[in-house]
Amino acid sequence: MSVRLQIWLIFLVPVAIVGALVGLGWTIPIPHLGRDYVLKVMLPDAGSPVDLPEVLGPPDRSRPLVVIDPGHGGKDPGASGGGYREKDVVLGLAKALRDELLAEGGIRVALTRDDDTFLVLEERPEIARRLDADLFISIHADSAGEKGEIGGASIYTLSSKASSEAAARFAERENSADAQLNGVRLNGQSEEVSNILVELSQRRVQETSDEFAGLITREGGGSLRFHPQARRSATLAVLRAPDVPAVLYESGFITNREDAERLVSQEGREEFAETMGRAIRIFFARQSNQ
Ligand code: ZN
């Protein structure tokens, strides 16, 4: 074998091996010779969540179903203050309510998340719709920045017009959860759904939601601490399902020490769960009589 051929082989053999590997589709971590790495991220289609949560409680589809939605989660912590994060506080409350409802029996329950998972805002009411839920309760906790004295729970229902400036600001903040994270506003789609049937359904659902909100303040009068303006309405994406009665329960202010300590305590959670559970049972009893 000539020297020239040997030199050529020294060059050509590695090139041939690399070429064969690339040709076979194998990846080789050699700069410039390897393939380009492509990260594929699966995004859920708008309005069609990948997984529906498990429905707990009696395996009887005629039983009413409440979907409990702990706000925020994962990369979206929600409000924070005093060492508390909204996403943790509201998950604790949601689980307490789930346990209470299951212990009392007769009602089916599903949670939009039961761990620290991120959910796109619009997925949440969509989960309730796809499960054919009878009631949707989104649980949040508020923050008042430096104003630590502001406290108390409030209940939001959907309105076509934000009822006050505060409600509008709140709507902006809660609705911006997706926009900030994905750079795209995902919550405008339901606005396109504007035919008269949807409007009629929405109006009826709004009345039913208001009735449920009234039950929460009535039943919680002796046990829960409400904000002086406890009943509010706002344009909130999470309440926009046109066929499932829905409320957003702001459980209190985590910037208020008294509120925060109560919301994360065993007694505070049980008090919330008992009160909300009672309101839910009365609500379903009334619905079944109509
Ligand atoms: Zn929130």
Side-chain angles (χ1 to χ4, degrees), residues 72 86 140-141 174 250:
H72 311 277
E86 180 180 359
H140 287 253
E174 293 294 341
E250 281 283 352

Side-chain angles (χ1 to χ4, degrees), residues 69 121-122 124-126 128-129 136 138 156-162 171-172 174-176 178 185-193 198-199 201-203 205-206 209 234-248:
D69 172 47
L121 205 53
E122 200 168 68
R124 299 167 185 264
E126 193 57 27
R129 298 192 63 227
F136 177 81
S138 191
Y156 284 82
T157 47
L158 185 70
S159 77
S160 44
K161 286 183 179 177
E172 200 178 306
E174 293 294 341
N175 283 345
S176 70
D178 291 328
R185 242 181 120 76
L186 297 172
N187 49 25
Q189 290 194 358
S190 58
E191 282 168 11
E192 292 161 21
V193 186
V198 172
E199 255 186 62
S201 172
Q202 187 116 44
R203 206 169 301 160
V205 157
Q206 219 164 307
S209 306
T235 309
L236 296 167
V238 80
L239 300 179
R240 273 187 194 163
D243 46 4
V244 183
V247 301
L248 186 146

Side-chain angles (χ1 to χ4, degrees), residues 79-82 84-86 89 141-143 252-256 259-260 263:
S80 56
Y84 301 106
R85 291 182 303 185
E86 180 180 359
V89 173
D142 217 334
S143 147
F253 285 75
I254 58 175
T255 41
N256 179 295
D259 270 7
L263 292 174

